[in-house]
Amino acid sequence: MSVPTVSLDRYTDVRPELADWMREQRWYASSEQSPALTRVGVWTLTDHKHQVGLETHLLLDESGPAPVLYQVPLSFRSSPLLGGERALVERVEGPSGSVYVYDAPHDPAFTRALLALMLDDEVTAGESPDGTEAQGHHALTSPEIRVTDSRVLRGEQSNTSIIFDLVHLNGKPAQPVICKLFRVLSDGQNPDVVVQSALSDAGSRLVPRAVGSVSGSWNDPRVEGGRASGHLAFAQEFIPEVEDAWRVALRSAEAGESFEQLAKALGEATAQVHTELARLFPVHEASDADRSAIVASFRDRAAQALVEVPALAAQASAVDEVFAAAAEASWPAFQRIHGDYHLGQVLAVPGRGWVLLDFEGEPLRPLAERSEPDVTLRDVAGMLRSFDYVAGTLAQSDHAEAARAWAHEARDAFIDGYVSRSGLDLRAQRVLLDAFELDKALYEVSYEARNRPDWVSIPVNAIERLANRPR
């Protein structure tokens, strides 16, 4: 089989067919109908059988209000990929015949080469004429494993996750690996890679074990000086056949079963991770500037929520009073946190307990902000809101009253567990915790208004309750 002309003149300088395909992908963020793409970089991998061309294109889309840089791995084959129909971008007629262009995370040639880049010091990315660089970093001490299968996890959103089934060279099954390929790139280190790698390297069992990562640098007109760097992919232990805490909690509430012990254990695990992060990363006392910046962000969020849901206008004054009280409260130290914490970010692992995932932070915040120290109460508030969401999903069922009681018990148990492990008296910081929980509910109401209007009542009810709670 001949090697295809890999670049097809760097894929004919961004074909309209590629733009049409990108527009249909879940990770494509713009609402515009026609992507305006410019290739700013490309990095390559080598197929060990030398039959498949592997290129990852960095494409700047300027169709929306702000330019977005997408990472688009492509594989080029001279014959169709068996079972790859859904991953086909297009078929191109090249100088030597047809070339089939695929979304590379679905191509085993690409996935094997990507994992090898992270595990084997002798494997390197190809040189790029435009100066784009990619380099693997591994946490495992031995590359003596091989891939038996790989598949893309369904439901991809801002990233694409690839599951690898592995065996040792002696044939013994190895722990599966999940690799998150970042589809949207920004200048700076990805907090998910930095935080989880640090916790894993320190021996924490409350996060999946880090396996490796790929970082790179590229030309980027959005950055001062025109050059950016950051993470391109991250691999870690994959824990199969487990449920996330949302499913466990929802089933518990539907069945009328107590979640008290599990919620307390989750509070303890959350506090333990916060304690470990405080040891691994810088911590500083809250300054006037820190407090002012967060309270300003609270008020900005409230203003946006009022635009999205005008019915909240009746609560505007009470909401502002909560934030004003928070500005005068005593604040804990600032440190690294999870940043987007809820039941869907935790796995229930038999024999191991709760395992925390996805430390990327709130998706709508700029990458640089998500790496800044913050207040642990933000994570606590996110989990408390998640318990209320469980009850909210059952509000129209016969279990509504019992679900509210379930959420109240779960919230109290979570706080008890957190306090017992951290020593931080959350109830003494009720005013500040209310402000962070209210801010989370305001974020949710804007999200639901745009994406799931039928769910808007869940955060609206929380906003009314939190804003009018006696103090």
Side-chain angles (χ1 to χ4, degrees), residues 75-132:
S75 65
F76 301 82
R77 290 176 169 264
S78 57
S79 60
L81 171 66
L82 186 63
E85 294 80 8
R86 295 183 62 183
L88 181 66
V89 177
E90 66 164 322
R91 187 179 74 176
V92 182
E93 293 304 320
S96 303
S98 296
V99 175
Y100 297 81
V101 184
Y102 290 96
D103 182 27
H106 295 267
D107 192 321
F110 173 80
T111 58
R112 288 189 176 94
L114 179 64
L115 189 61
L117 179 63
M118 286 186 272
L119 295 184
D120 193 337
D121 289 333
E122 296 183 2
V123 175
T124 59
E127 294 183 4
S128 172
D130 56 39
T132 303

Side-chain angles (χ1 to χ4, degrees), residues 206 245 259-276 341-343 346-347 353-356 376 379-381 383-384 387 409-424 426-427:
L206 292 171
F259 200 68
E260 183 176 10
Q261 292 304 312
L262 289 174
K264 184 178 181 181
L266 182 55
E268 293 171 350
T270 305
Q272 181 62 35
V273 168
H274 284 160
T275 299
E276 292 173 355
Y341 197 45
H342 53 79
L343 289 165
V346 183
L347 296 179
W354 298 116
V355 174
L356 282 61
T376 54
D379 284 349
V380 174
M383 190 55 68
L384 295 180
F387 291 130
E409 180 186 68
R411 288 166 60 94
D412 280 350
F414 177 84
I415 290 175
D416 287 343
Y418 191 93
V419 170
S420 70
R421 182 60 61 91
S422 69
L424 180 66
L426 295 181
R427 291 181 175 86

Side-chain angles (χ1 to χ4, degrees), residues 286 290-291 294-295 298 322-334 375-378 380-381 384 424-440 466 469 471:
D290 292 327
R291 290 190 289 269
I294 288 186
V295 172
F298 288 167
V322 174
F323 294 155
E328 301 300 322
S330 175
W331 287 51
F334 278 55
V375 180
T376 54
L377 293 178
R378 190 183 299 277
V380 174
L384 295 180
L424 180 66
D425 188 353
L426 295 181
R427 291 181 175 86
Q429 295 188 309
R430 188 78 252 180
V431 170
L432 191 54
L433 182 56
D434 278 356
F436 275 98
E437 193 174 349
L438 181 57
D439 176 65
K440 183 67 173 177
L466 290 161
R469 183 203 296 270
R471 290 178 174 82

Side-chain angles (χ1 to χ4, degrees), residues 452-470:
R452 298 185 298 191
D454 292 345
W455 289 50
V456 165
S457 62
I458 299 176
V460 164
N461 291 339
I463 291 167
E464 294 175 349
R465 172 175 55 82
L466 290 161
N468 297 291
R469 183 203 296 270

Side-chain angles (χ1 to χ4, degrees), residues 41 137 144 212 249 256 278 359 384 413 445:
H137 312 273
E144 295 183 350
F359 286 71
L384 295 180
V445 82

